Amino acid sequence: SNHRVIVDMDQSLGVATIKIKNPPVNSLSLELLTEFLIGWEKLENDKSCKGVILTSNYPKIFSAGLDILEMCGKNAAHYTEYWKAVQELWLKLYMSNMVVIAAINGSSPAGGCLLALTSDYRVMADNPKYTIGLNETLLGIVAPFWFKDNLVNTIGNRASEQALQLGLLFSPAEALKIGLVDQLVPEDKVQSTALSVMSQWLKIPDHARQLTKTMMRKPTADLLLKQREADIDNFVRFISRDGIQKSLHMYLKALKERKE
Ligand code: CO8
């Protein structure tokens, strides 16, 4: 049942588009992550696929990030399985040999921002209603070190320090200014711009580009690879705490009340 991730392969270009389709807000539930990983694996194994564009099936929301319900009121075995899937997706995307471009056509908080950060280039819709950032502290939780590392590698240490502590959600203009995204375009040009950027990246000799990407990113990925189990234990212990469960419940409640 592969229906939360739509994969469109353009054979002539060697470019796949992955559209996340997990209503209502593209949260990264365990089911979504599992389907995503299966779809991703297929593309990695397809020699004709050189690049992937990540986008959302729903204009307005790229991804609401990790599914808060997967981190609330469950047992340690569930948290363990969930966190393994989150780690796995990040490692696969961050270290992919393919060119990965995010076509960010809506808001992209927390895990949604992380997903975008794994790509090689980010194009975002220039709509001031959308926001992007690692806002974990606003939920009373702490972005794991590898979220932090991925952000530092992208926008630098000082900007990360501020963004992470304050849980900043940036408008597209602010995100462009600090380098969290690379380009802003009108909403209806996000996909076509991502495609034209992709064709530029695909002109570079593939082997040289891949080795360069690996050289840049491997030290960061290795930090997690060397301590995956400890990172899981840390997550499970942290998320199981009463105070953290309370914070998450309150955040969910506030999200719901915002509408009424
Ligand atoms: N998980 C689960 N449910 C969610 C999430 C989410 N991340 N986001 C929204 N929802 C739910 C809402 O509660 C609401 O539910 P209901 O219909 O039952 O009231 C429904 O989805 C629709 O949401 P909205 O009405 O808010 O939809 P909008 O279109 O108005 O807004 C947004 C969309 C902008 C995405 C908004 O929903 C939002 O800001 N969501 C919260 C995003 C967020 O803060 N995510 C953080 C998740 S934590 C994470 O990703 C990293 C965790 C790292 C863990 C480290 C621990 C050690």
Side-chain angles (χ1 to χ4, degrees):
S1 61
N2 208 52
H3 54 282
R4 287 178 182 80
V5 177
I6 304 168
V7 183
D8 282 322
M9 180 70 189
D10 185 325
Q11 292 292 350
S12 65
L13 297 174
V15 175
T17 297
I18 294 186
K19 275 190 189 154
I20 305 171
K21 185 186 173 200
N22 194 22
V25 293
N26 273 350
S27 69
L28 305 175
S29 64
L30 182 56
E31 276 186 306
L32 183 276
L33 292 176
T34 306
E35 284 185 23
F36 200 122
L37 279 163
I38 292 168
W40 191 266
E41 200 78 356
K42 278 189 197 147
L43 295 176
E44 288 280 7
N45 291 329
D46 178 350
K47 290 224 158 34
S48 70
C49 185
K50 303 290 181 203
V52 180
I53 293 172
L54 290 179
T55 194
S56 161
N57 191 56
Y58 308 110
K60 293 191 176 56
I61 303 173
F62 180 71
S63 166
L66 300 192
D67 194 319
I68 298 167
L69 300 174
E70 302 281 9
M71 302 185 284
C72 264
K74 305 277 201 302
N75 62 28
H78 181 86
Y79 297 144
T80 299
E81 189 184 2
Y82 185 58
W83 201 246
K84 269 187 188 155
V86 176
Q87 286 181 339
E88 190 66 23
L89 189 74
W90 181 74
L91 287 165
K92 286 259 157 65
L93 268 61
Y94 192 66
M95 292 309 293
S96 176
N97 275 330
M98 300 182 289
V99 175
V100 183
I101 292 180
I104 308 166
N105 51 343
S107 283
S108 197
C113 178
L114 182 76
L115 193 64
L117 281 169
T118 62
S119 47
D120 296 296
Y121 193 92
R122 284 162 288 283
V123 179
M124 188 170 185
D126 193 4
N127 181 333
K129 286 190 185 133
Y130 302 159
T131 61
I132 182 167
L134 294 179
N135 60 321
E136 276 77 358
T137 55
L138 299 184
L139 288 75
I141 56 181
V142 180
F145 73 87
W146 39 284
F147 286 47
K148 176 265 293 174
D149 290 342
N150 195 162
L151 185 69
V152 168
N153 291 349
T154 310
I155 66 170
N157 204 80
R158 172 60 190 144
S160 296
E161 200 172 68
Q162 202 169 333
L164 286 171
Q165 289 192 56
L166 299 177
L168 295 179
L169 286 167
F170 298 96
S171 69
E174 293 164 335
L176 180 68
K177 198 170 154 205
I178 61 167
L180 184 56
V181 300
D182 299 297
Q183 192 176 350
L184 301 183
V185 295
E187 227 150 342
D188 61 343
K189 295 281 188 295
V190 173
Q191 181 69 18
S192 59
T193 304
L195 263 173
S196 71
V197 171
M198 179 66 80
S199 72
Q200 293 300 313
W201 281 65
L202 291 179
K203 280 180 192 150
I204 309 301
D206 218 33
H207 191 58
R209 186 198 53 74
Q210 284 175 8
L211 287 173
T212 303
K213 180 172 179 175
T214 303
M215 175 177 72
M216 295 297 296
R217 294 189 171 195
K218 191 168 179 295
T220 300
D222 279 349
L223 289 177
L224 177 59
L225 283 170
K226 278 184 200 130
Q227 47 181 316
R228 278 187 88 163
E229 295 305 320
D231 183 62
I232 292 168
D233 288 349
N234 185 60
F235 171 76
V236 173
R237 235 180 310 113
F238 185 80
I239 214 74
S240 304
R241 274 155 52 177
D242 284 344
I244 300 304
Q245 286 292 311
K246 268 202 197 99
S247 294
L248 290 176
H249 277 293
M250 279 169 53
Y251 185 79
L252 265 179
K253 198 161 158 266
L255 263 184
K256 289 183 199 307
E257 279 164 2
R258 203 170 42 112
K259 289 192 289 204
E260 283 146 20

